[in-house]
Amino acid sequence: MRADAKENYNHLLVVARDVVTEQGANASLRDIARRAEVSHVTLLRHFPTREALLDALLRKSLEELTAKADELEPSTLPGEALLDWLRDAVGFVQVYSGVVTMMATAITDPDSALHASCENLRNAGERLLKRAQEEGTARKDMKGSDLFALIGALGWIGDQQSFKPRAEYLFDVIASAVLVGRS
C-alpha cells in the first residue's frame, strides 16, 4: 500500500473509532468520510462495506482480548482468569453500541468479514472456560458458544439505558451462574 493510502487508511480508522463509539455500529459511513475529510469513494475504496470497516476497527480489540486470554491462562487461577476475561469482553462490546448483533451474526457466517475475529474470541473464552471446568470452578454444562452468547447478552444490557444502572449487578448474577460456589 502506498504511503498516502496507508495514511488515509489509518486516519479513517481513527475517525471511525470516534464516530462508532459515539453513534454505535450503525454510524453513517458518509458521516465517517465527512469527518475524516475524505470522499465517500475514498472510504469505500478502503472499506467496501460497513462490515469490512467494523472488522478492521474491531479486529485490534478482539485480538487484544484473545491475547489477554493467552496471558491469563497460565498465570491466573482458572476461575479468576475466566471472570477477568469475561469482564473485559463485556466491556469491549459495550463500547460499540450495536456491535453485539453484528458479532452474533458473524459467528455463524463463515463468509462474514468479522467471522474469524469472533471465532478467535469464542475459542479464547472456551479455553478459559474449559480450564475453569477442569479445576471445578465453572459449570460443567457450559460451552464456549454459551459464553460468547452471554458476552453478547451482557453487552446488550449495557446498551439499554433502562438496564444500564444495573449492568454491574447483572454481570455479577451471570458470573455467579457460570462460576461454581461464587456468590
Side-chain angles (χ1 to χ4, degrees):
M1 187 181 290
R2 292 185 344 248
D4 61 333
K6 182 70 172 165
E7 187 176 318
N8 272 347
Y9 179 89
N10 290 333
H11 178 64
L12 282 166
L13 283 178
V14 168
V15 171
R17 183 176 310 279
D18 292 344
V19 174
V20 172
T21 298
E22 292 168 14
Q23 299 176 16
N26 291 320
S28 163
L29 295 180
R30 289 190 187 281
D31 190 30
I32 292 169
R34 219 178 354 261
R35 281 215 199 154
E37 299 178 346
V38 299
S39 72
H40 187 68
V41 172
T42 298
L43 175 69
L44 293 177
R45 192 170 35 250
H46 289 289
F47 308 104
T49 65
R50 172 184 310 283
E51 194 174 60
L53 173 63
L54 287 172
D55 176 58
L57 184 63
L58 302 177
R59 188 179 315 124
K60 184 175 191 302
S61 296
L62 291 169
E63 288 170 357
E64 288 170 358
L65 279 170
T66 300
K68 179 161 186 175
D70 293 340
E71 291 168 18
L72 288 170
E73 199 168 358
S75 65
T76 309
L77 293 172
E80 289 177 28
L82 178 60
L83 186 61
D84 287 349
W85 182 85
L86 181 61
R87 186 175 305 282
D88 285 353
V90 170
F92 159 72
V93 296
Q94 288 176 341
V95 167
Y96 300 109
S97 176
V99 77
V100 168
T101 301
M102 293 186 76
M103 289 174 66
T105 302
I107 194 77
T108 61
D109 180 5
D111 295 327
S112 165
L114 290 172
H115 179 75
S117 298
C118 290
E119 189 68 22
N120 289 340
L121 181 69
R122 186 195 60 77
N123 289 336
E126 186 169 51
R127 283 193 322 273
L128 292 173
L129 175 64
K130 283 182 179 180
R131 188 169 165 254
Q133 288 169 330
E134 289 167 2
E135 182 195 51
T137 57
R139 294 173 63 122
K140 299 273 186 208
D141 59 342
M142 282 191 69
K143 300 182 285 188
S145 56
D146 299 329
L147 195 61
F148 188 83
L150 289 174
I151 290 167
L154 289 165
W156 178 86
I157 286 170
D159 278 351
Q160 309 308 307
Q161 288 302 328
S162 60
F163 300 143
K164 206 172 216 166
R166 304 269 299 161
E168 187 63 32
Y169 167 76
L170 294 170
F171 177 90
D172 288 340
V173 168
I174 297 300
S176 295
V178 172
L179 297 176
V180 177
R182 184 178 187 273
S183 54

